[in-house]
């Protein structure tokens, strides 16, 4: 009888032990997502500030992130590059990292916020089955970079309202858009974490007299605004000239106007609340699409997906898509080419505010050398 009781107890005890081991492994993986991977700024770095300098109400939160300043010491204008507005759009943040780790400046200043929504880097979108990291086999060995979520982590901002009322327009959006940085501009000093981050970025643009501000994104290949330069009224002239020059070089972009009545978007509110020339760039990334197959690291890096091949054959996509896919390298190359061309075009028309960023490869050179050569 005693033996039987003992045997009966072994199974529940073992089950608890197994659950504890699995729970510990899962908890460690979960907490590891909050650890920031190191970035290695180029020798042109002048200083690193916290975003909370521009909104003290961010101090001590997961929204407080690093702002990297590269100052040539020579007169000129100021450019801002935002990566990681949406941390599930890797070409956006990898382009910001590439500038951060490789730039040299000979005129003006370059400011980089590589993890604009730092909280959104600390988790993944539920139900999407996307990986936590991407790995690049870089110059000095393998490097892991966090792949995050489109929106702020609910541990930092919760619960979502049923309907998100944008401040100050009163525009109505779905409740979870309240955690979307690119629906939260111009923001306010107090309020949700996401609007506080948005406010800090707008305040930084004004305080630092940013001439040209880039917000780097990716979108699903079936989304109409893709391989696009989105420009507001102020930046349309330089954007259209840059798009034309890029087309001469065989890099096609569609030019999209910033909608007047869609509030909360970076380009819309930067146009209205600052004096900068706002630009948003989109590339096509299958890992974000609804038609994709398996969502692993390989899909992010290679951009190859047989479901998208079928969708392309049916004419459902807004970008060319073949068996070569749209690799991360190509998507970063497009962002790099567009950023450089737009800076050059702006500088041509505003010689007193010219910005010269060197050390960044041209499109063909970048594709030849490979993404891994710059990390
Ligand atoms: Zn985006």
């Amino acid at each position: 009888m005693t033996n039987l009781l003992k045997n009966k107890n072994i199974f529940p005890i073992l089950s608890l032990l197994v659950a504890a081991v699995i729970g510990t492994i899962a908890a460690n993986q979960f907490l590891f997502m909050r650890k920031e991977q190191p970035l290695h700024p180029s020798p042109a770095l002048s200083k690193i500030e916290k975003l909370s300098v521009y909104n003290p109400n961010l101090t001590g939160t997961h929204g407080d992130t690093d702002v990297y300043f590269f100052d040539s010491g020579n007169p000129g204008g100021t450019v801002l590059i935002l990566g990681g507005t949406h941390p599930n759009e890797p070409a956006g943040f990898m382009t910001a990292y590439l500038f951060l780790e490789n730039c040299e400046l000979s005129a003006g200043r370059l400011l980089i916020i590589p993890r604009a929504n730092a909280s959104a880097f600390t988790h993944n979108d539920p139900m999407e089955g996307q990986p936590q990291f991407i790995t690049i086999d870089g110059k000095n060995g393998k490097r892991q970079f966090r792949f995050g979520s489109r929106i702020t982590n609910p541990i930092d901002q919760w619960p979502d309202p049923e309907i998100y009322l944008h401040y100050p327009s009163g525009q109505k959006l779905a409740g979870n858009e309240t955690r979307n940085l690119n629906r939260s501009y111009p923001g306010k000093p107090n309020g949700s974490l996401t609007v506080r981050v948005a406010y800090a970025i707008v305040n930084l643009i004004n305080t630092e007299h940013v001439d040209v501000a880039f917000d780097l994104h990716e979108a699903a290949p079936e989304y109409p605004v893709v391989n696009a330069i989105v420009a507001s009224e102020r930046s349309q002239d330089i954007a259209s000239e840059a798009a034309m020059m890029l087309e001469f070089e065989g890099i096609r972009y569609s030019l999209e106007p910033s909608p007047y009545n869609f509030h909360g978007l970076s380009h819309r509110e930067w146009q209205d609340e600052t004096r900068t020339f706002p630009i948003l760039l989109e590339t096509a990334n299958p890992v974000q699409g609804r038609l994709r197959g398996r969502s692993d690291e390989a899909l992010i890096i290679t951009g190859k997906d047989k479901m998208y091949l079928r969708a392309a054959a049916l004419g459902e996509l807004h970008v060319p898509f073949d068996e070569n896919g749209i690799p991360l390298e190509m998507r970063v190359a497009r962002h790099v080419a567009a950023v450089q061309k737009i800076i050059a075009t702006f500088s041509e028309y505003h010689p007193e505010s010219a910005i010269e960023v060197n050390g960044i490869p041209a499109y063909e050179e970048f594709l030849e050398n490979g993404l891994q050569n710059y990390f």
Side-chain angles (χ1 to χ4, degrees):
M1 187 68 186
T2 337
N3 276 344
L4 192 65
L5 258 180
K6 273 184 189 159
N7 286 341
K8 265 187 183 173
N9 287 339
I10 283 173
F11 183 72
I13 289 167
L14 270 179
S15 305
L16 280 173
L17 277 175
V18 169
V21 169
I22 293 172
T24 308
I25 294 169
N28 275 328
Q29 280 191 358
F30 197 74
L31 288 172
F32 193 62
M33 289 196 284
R34 297 189 199 165
K35 196 172 161 356
E36 274 191 354
Q37 280 72 51
L39 296 172
H40 310 297
S42 83
L45 182 75
S46 316
K47 61 172 174 174
I48 303 174
E49 271 187 354
K50 283 287 180 191
L51 190 59
S52 55
V53 167
Y54 304 91
N55 183 4
N57 294 327
L58 284 178
T59 311
T61 70
H62 287 144
D64 199 3
T65 190
D66 290 333
V67 185
Y68 295 77
F69 285 71
F70 299 87
D71 191 338
S72 68
N74 297 324
T78 300
V79 167
L80 171 68
I81 297 178
L82 285 195
T85 291
H86 293 147
N88 61 336
E89 299 171 8
F93 59 77
M94 290 306 292
T95 303
Y97 297 172
L98 184 138
F99 273 86
L100 190 148
E101 299 202 353
N102 296 277
C103 70
E104 296 156 14
L105 270 276
S106 50
R109 295 191 306 164
L110 172 63
L111 277 48
I112 302 177
I113 308 179
R115 298 174 178 126
N117 189 348
S119 164
F121 274 92
T122 62
H123 72 135
N124 284 75
D125 288 328
M127 315 298 284
E128 292 289 334
Q130 290 167 333
Q132 294 181 350
F133 296 93
I134 54 173
T135 310
I136 305 288
D137 204 356
K139 284 181 293 195
N140 302 314
K142 284 193 192 317
R143 288 178 68 181
Q144 275 196 323
F145 298 98
R146 267 289 296 151
F147 179 93
S149 160
R150 178 177 172 77
I151 53 179
T152 301
N153 193 326
I155 60 161
D156 295 317
Q157 187 178 323
W158 191 85
D160 293 337
E162 277 198 25
I163 295 170
Y164 164 41
L165 288 179
H166 170 260
Y167 172 83
S169 71
Q171 167 188 273
K172 290 178 184 165
L173 288 169
N176 66 352
E177 294 283 42
T178 192
R179 287 185 282 131
N180 183 347
L181 177 58
N182 201 25
R183 300 292 182 276
S184 299
Y185 293 103
K188 51 183 172 179
N190 278 308
S192 73
L193 184 73
T194 317
V195 297
R196 278 181 275 157
V197 171
Y199 174 84
I201 293 170
V202 168
N203 194 22
L204 176 146
I205 291 173
N206 283 325
T207 309
E208 300 298 336
H209 307 290
V210 172
D211 295 288
V212 188
F214 293 94
D215 190 12
L216 304 180
H217 289 253
E218 299 204 81
E222 68 272 26
Y223 181 61
V225 182
V226 81
N227 280 359
I229 302 175
V230 185
S232 68
E233 303 84 277
R234 196 180 298 129
S235 44
Q236 259 164 27
D237 285 352
I238 57 163
S240 50
E241 181 161 331
M244 205 166 63
M245 299 302 287
L246 288 162
E247 182 135 9
F248 288 147
E249 293 168 25
I251 316 165
R252 289 200 73 171
Y253 278 89
S254 64
L255 194 62
E256 306 287 338
S258 170
Y260 286 106
N261 296 324
F262 195 159
H263 291 286
L265 298 170
S266 54
H267 40 87
R268 176 75 267 136
E269 307 297 343
W270 294 354
Q271 162 78 33
D272 294 347
E273 301 292 328
T274 79
R275 298 177 70 180
T276 200
F277 285 64
I279 298 282
L280 183 144
L281 299 175
E282 293 276 10
T283 54
N285 180 4
V287 84
Q288 285 169 262
R290 295 300 95 196
L291 312 176
R292 69 182 192 267
R294 189 175 170 179
S295 309
D296 55 7
E297 211 182 322
L299 175 59
I300 297 170
I301 306 268
T302 67
K304 289 181 186 171
D305 186 290
K306 57 185 178 190
M307 294 302 159
Y308 271 102
L309 263 182
R310 287 174 66 181
L314 293 168
E316 296 296 329
L317 305 186
H318 290 266
V319 286
F321 194 94
D322 59 21
E323 62 283 352
N324 297 318
I326 314 175
L328 178 63
E329 193 164 88
M330 170 72 75
R331 282 142 41 206
V332 172
R334 290 184 62 89
H335 275 345
V336 168
V339 168
Q340 293 196 97
K341 192 63 78 186
I342 289 165
I343 293 176
T345 311
F346 172 84
S347 301
E348 206 180 305
Y349 285 100
H350 304 86
E352 71 293 349
S353 302
I355 304 108
E356 276 175 40
V357 183
N358 311 307
I360 305 297
Y363 182 77
E364 294 292 346
E365 183 192 351
F366 180 72
L367 290 178
E368 214 164 277
N369 292 342
L371 177 77
Q372 69 282 358
N373 264 301
Y374 298 92
F375 289 98

